[in-house]
Amino acid sequence: MGFPKDFLWGSASAAFQIEGAYNEDGKGLGIWDALSEGHIRLGATGNVACDHYHRYKEDVAIMKELGLKSYRFSISWPRVIPKEGVINEKGLAFYKDLVKELTEAGIEPMVTLFHWNLPMWMHEKGGWLNPQVADYFAEYAKVVVTALSDKVKYWMTINEPQLFAGAGYVDGGHAPFLKMPAMFGKITRNIMLAHGKAVKVIRENALLTPMVGMAPTGSAVIPKSDSAEDLEQARFETYEGDGPNGNAWWADPICLGILPEGLKKEISAEDLKIIHQPLDFYGFNIYTAQNFWTQDPKQNPALYDGMPRTGFDWAIKPESIYYAAKFHYERYGLPIIITENGMSNPDFVMLDGKVHDPQRIDYIHRYLLQLKRAVDEGVKVIGYQYWSILDNMEWTEGYERRFGLVHVDYQTLKRTIKDSGYFYAEVIKTNGENL
Ligand code: GCO
């Protein structure tokens, strides 16, 4: 059967990770700008990053050369709303120019409204701990939708609540680096309300009929075998295995209007009416299998020393994308968009001036074969966004983890398309027939 003819082949990024210009043209500071000193490898910052803010035309030209059909990027909330109630027109103008450049290049812009860099003014009002954050987020969403929805059709409200809520407010590994596990239920409620209110704002204000979703993490447990019993066990663990912060914790209220036990005391029936908004696709980010994040063979006997891993030490498990697409489609009944998938690799420009990355080519090839397997079995997959278009600022890891189809020399900011970029261009050109 193969991938549908209008499949949204694309690549993804996030504002803080590529834009730079952290304090330029009226942009306010976000928590990753202002609070991450001492938390990022080698003292790196996102102040310059890939300087995409100034080089976006060059970057879109590269995307066009690769033949991307779509491009998923995020809007910097502190760039657009630098202070409470203040709209930064120059910040909005950047995104209008970027969207214009993309559409003129024949590339579908896909916007993520929140990808972790919360404005400091909101953080100082309690951030995701403050129930009012949902209304502030809805106001921000309205400003962005009003500015961009004449050309933007695809919207994702929030990226990976599991990570920014879990790492940012429970284990303290991500900005704002807090450890408040007792507040996790309240934070979950506020994030879900923000999502629901933003979906309503998009539907009420978008000029182009919108396609709306989210971009949670969305990995799956790979079954021990394909027996019905093992498949059912893997499906159960995929949703219940991670407990609070697992797939069911976040997606069941949002997609099904069903509350997991741990949220019943936090979220009222009224709240749920706001949270459970109709969505047009189920987007999710996936890199490996849920049962392969551990490196302890006692927790997963299928693990073994020396198994294929990425530069981030993540197990390479292509079947994870098949099971995740299959399970999530069966459970939520929505068309699937892989909003992130990719691998980091210690890439560098070689003597011939090229970046040879056979590992990434093999990774993409294997994962797309597994995604095609799901498609051939009837799972409605409508898009795939490779993470990431450019090497970029990998949060607390700084610039050491290179995920890009395009290499960035951080001393000169020179871009070099990697071999994997040309491989992916051929996948897009043949609509996956070359796999
Ligand atoms: C995430 C974020 C991205 C990361 C990517 C690689 O999923 O953690 O969406 O910003 O950079 O996933 O870790």
Side-chain angles (χ1 to χ4, degrees):
M1 201 157 84
F3 293 99
K5 64 175 178 40
D6 51 357
F7 194 75
L8 287 164
W9 294 106
S11 193
S13 72
F16 175 77
Q17 295 180 270
I18 66 166
E19 286 180 2
Y22 82 108
N23 63 352
E24 213 167 303
D25 287 345
K27 175 179 173 293
L29 297 184
I31 56 176
W32 277 93
D33 303 307
L35 302 179
S36 49
E37 188 174 350
H39 293 278
I40 299 183
R41 182 184 172 130
L42 302 180
T45 72
N47 295 353
V48 176
C50 305
D51 194 34
H52 177 71
Y53 183 79
H54 299 108
R55 297 166 189 258
Y56 72 93
K57 290 192 176 181
E58 175 190 356
D59 293 335
V60 172
I62 291 172
M63 295 177 209
K64 185 177 181 183
E65 181 182 347
L66 297 180
L68 294 195
K69 304 288 187 193
S70 61
Y71 170 53
R72 175 190 172 221
F73 62 98
S74 78
I75 307 289
S76 170
W77 187 352
R79 189 179 296 285
V80 172
I81 314 285
K83 292 193 182 73
E84 181 180 354
V86 174
I87 297 174
N88 176 23
E89 292 301 340
K90 280 190 178 177
L92 273 182
F94 165 66
Y95 295 111
K96 287 178 185 172
D97 291 344
L98 172 60
V99 165
K100 180 173 179 290
E101 202 72 18
L102 287 165
T103 49
E104 287 175 357
I107 299 169
E108 185 79 48
M110 301 174 79
V111 166
T112 308
L113 287 169
F114 182 74
H115 202 129
W116 302 358
N117 199 19
L118 189 76
M120 273 306 284
W121 62 262
M122 186 66 235
H123 174 68
E124 285 153 7
K125 296 173 78 75
W128 292 104
L129 295 158
N130 177 351
Q132 290 181 304
V133 65
D135 296 316
Y136 285 109
F137 186 66
E139 283 168 20
Y140 154 65
K142 186 172 181 182
V143 168
V144 174
V145 171
T146 304
L148 303 181
S149 65
D150 60 327
K151 292 187 174 72
V152 174
K153 176 178 172 181
Y154 288 86
W155 299 92
M156 284 140 284
T157 55
I158 290 172
N159 182 78
E160 295 208 2
Q162 294 87 341
L163 232 64
F164 78 81
Y169 291 86
V170 176
D171 58 41
H174 275 197
F177 307 102
L178 298 174
K179 296 185 178 181
M180 312 172 84
M183 298 301 289
F184 193 66
K186 287 178 176 28
I187 292 167
T188 301
R189 172 181 180 268
N190 297 338
I191 293 169
M192 289 189 179
L193 284 170
H195 161 80
K197 290 183 176 190
V199 175
K200 284 166 65 76
V201 159
I202 294 166
R203 298 222 188 274
E204 288 158 7
N205 295 278
L207 297 176
L208 289 180
T209 304
M211 291 283 285
V212 191
M214 202 182 185
T217 63
S219 190
V221 169
I222 292 178
K224 295 185 185 67
S225 79
D226 264 346
S227 72
E229 188 188 356
D230 284 343
L231 206 55
E232 195 42 45
Q233 181 59 20
R235 190 182 273 109
F236 172 77
E237 289 173 16
T238 292
Y239 295 101
E240 309 307 331
D242 278 355
N245 225 20
N247 286 311
W249 176 274
W250 289 99
D252 284 8
I254 286 170
C255 296
L256 303 176
I258 296 171
L259 290 177
E261 269 318 302
L263 283 176
K264 285 180 175 165
K265 62 185 185 313
E266 296 291 356
I267 292 178
S268 69
E270 279 315 295
D271 291 339
L272 200 51
K273 283 196 192 110
I274 297 169
I275 291 166
H276 181 210
Q277 296 294 323
L279 297 181
D280 303 298
F281 61 88
Y282 190 72
F284 64 92
N285 300 344
I286 182 163
Y287 292 88
T288 187
Q290 221 162 297
N291 46 332
F292 283 81
W293 278 116
T294 176
Q295 300 213 16
D296 178 359
K298 286 196 281 308
Q299 290 188 28
N300 179 352
L303 284 163
Y304 61 91
D305 256 356
M307 67 187 293
R309 291 184 176 279
T310 71
F312 224 147
D313 256 354
W314 297 354
I316 296 176
K317 299 302 292 179
E319 320 89 284
S320 61
I321 204 168
Y322 163 74
Y323 287 107
K326 171 185 169 63
F327 291 167
H328 296 337
Y329 186 62
E330 288 167 352
R331 189 175 181 102
Y332 301 118
L334 290 168
I336 299 281
I337 295 181
I338 307 296
T339 38
E340 284 178 27
N341 172 248
M343 71 167 274
S344 67
N345 194 55
D347 307 315
F348 47 84
V349 178
M350 298 186 178
L351 275 175
D352 62 2
K354 294 184 169 59
V355 181
H356 304 295
D357 55 341
Q359 293 89 340
R360 186 171 288 105
I361 289 174
D362 192 69
Y363 178 102
I364 296 172
H365 197 157
R366 290 174 188 270
Y367 275 74
L368 287 180
L369 279 174
Q370 287 293 325
L371 188 60
K372 188 167 177 292
R373 178 184 165 197
V375 170
D376 290 347
E377 289 181 7
V379 176
K380 193 168 190 299
V381 184
I382 60 173
Y384 172 89
Q385 302 294 318
Y386 176 82
W387 180 273
S388 179
I389 182 66
L390 299 175
D391 291 339
N392 61 54
M393 165 63 161
E394 180 54 29
W395 308 108
T396 55
E397 290 290 320
Y399 297 95
E400 295 296 307
R401 311 290 179 179
R402 292 179 177 272
F403 279 85
L405 295 171
V406 178
H407 178 275
V408 177
D409 177 326
Y410 294 111
Q411 291 176 312
T412 65
L413 294 168
K414 182 175 185 297
R415 276 81 161 134
T416 306
I417 299 175
K418 301 176 187 174
D419 291 356
S420 60
Y422 294 111
F423 168 76
Y424 189 47
E426 193 56 28
V427 172
I428 298 170
K429 192 174 164 197
T430 63
N431 198 36
E433 289 308 309
N434 71 325
L435 292 171

